[in-house]
Amino acid sequence: MSYVKGLQEVGEGLYAYLQPDGSWGWSNAGLVVDGERTLLVDTLYDLALTREMLSAMRRAVPAAKQIDTLVNTHANGDHCYGNQLVEGARIVASERTAAEMSELPPAAMAALVEQAPGMGELGAFFLECFGAFDFKGIELALPEQTFAGGLDLRVGDRELRLIEVGPAHTRGDTLVHAPAERVLFTGDILFSHAHPIAWAGPVSNWIAACDRILAMDVETIVPGHGPIAGPDAVRELKAYFEYLYEQARERMAQGMTPLQAARAISLDRWADWGERERLVVNIANIYAELGETEPLNPLAAFQQMAELAGAR
Ligand SMILES: [Zn+2]
């Protein structure tokens, strides 16, 4: 689905920064402004991209010269590896996100990308996903303020609510809600027009997160990846996960592995969503929840996604 790169106003004093095409690593971020007060929702995957975003924000909104608060919605690098450039900001995240952020240092990503050319099908897939980003020179700036469950913040006179709905995509996923403007920044709880990926799960908790969003009075949703959306996209995501549960139960009863199931499942209604290879991780996560197998560790997840992507 085509959409435009850059800053877009989504409500009074509320902005989305979008990075098409929204596939692996091409994340969105958000900006909340009231007078001179500013809050940034997430940074991007590398320093050059984050620098480009910050200067686009400053051009459109002079107050963005100084960001007061930075919220990281979750621990994946495409939402926090640019943190060090937001100088002087207080960094806020859920406790679980803060803990998870120190586990995959940017230097490890840099090393993986460097070794990828010698790693066969897995390396080729890894480069396809992450080869466009520069992980060198990143010193991950970690949150100073953490919370569990929820946290109310003010940006000038504007009220914001941080709502922790993880573990789902990662261990500590957080939504950023601007109730008065009916705008929600979801981080990677919503990928619009692409398959989600349940790194942490359980998927049932992700479905509960969808229900929580659907119970809110929200009109505009800034997803973690993909074009601006609304509650319908969350309804679609919930239906997708429910369909996967149904399919996983059936395929498990037939004795299929998650990879065999991911190959066999027909995606008719969701067939045009990007990153179909993530299906195997989601199915494995549901299998684990149904008590049959361990969830995939990240290396196994990438190996199986590489196999599935190779077959496409
Ligand atoms: Zn992401």
Side-chain angles (χ1 to χ4, degrees), residues 25-28 74 76-79 169 187-188 191 224-225:
W26 296 104
S27 51
N28 299 329
H74 64 289
N76 287 166
D78 53 335
H79 300 262
H169 168 64
D188 287 359
F191 289 77
H225 295 254

Side-chain angles (χ1 to χ4, degrees), residues 3-130:
Y3 59 107
V4 179
K5 177 184 167 172
L7 202 65
Q8 188 176 325
E9 198 163 5
V10 291
E12 206 204 319
L14 298 174
Y15 302 84
Y17 185 82
L18 305 175
Q19 292 196 103
D21 61 357
S23 61
W24 289 103
W26 296 104
S27 51
N28 299 329
L31 177 66
V32 180
V33 185
D34 190 58
E36 289 303 304
R37 301 274 72 90
T38 51
L39 178 144
L40 181 66
V41 181
D42 285 340
T43 56
L44 304 179
Y45 216 172
D46 69 21
L47 300 181
L49 291 171
T50 303
R51 225 172 255 131
E52 188 185 351
M53 170 178 80
L54 291 172
S55 46
M57 286 177 169
R58 277 180 213 127
R59 273 197 306 276
V61 187
K65 206 166 140 62
Q66 177 59 55
I67 302 288
D68 303 313
T69 308
L70 163 60
V71 175
N72 290 126
T73 58
H74 64 289
N76 287 166
D78 53 335
H79 300 262
C80 66
Y81 276 5
N83 280 8
Q84 76 197 67
L85 295 178
V86 191
E87 280 165 46
R90 171 180 55 128
I91 306 178
V92 182
S94 71
E95 276 167 26
R96 289 197 184 106
T97 289
E100 197 176 351
M101 268 169 79
S102 42
E103 285 177 18
L104 184 62
M109 280 300 286
L112 275 169
V113 167
E114 224 168 85
Q115 290 155 18
M119 288 164 65
E121 187 181 44
L122 172 62
F125 177 66
F126 203 78
L127 282 179
E128 204 187 292
C129 296
F130 305 117

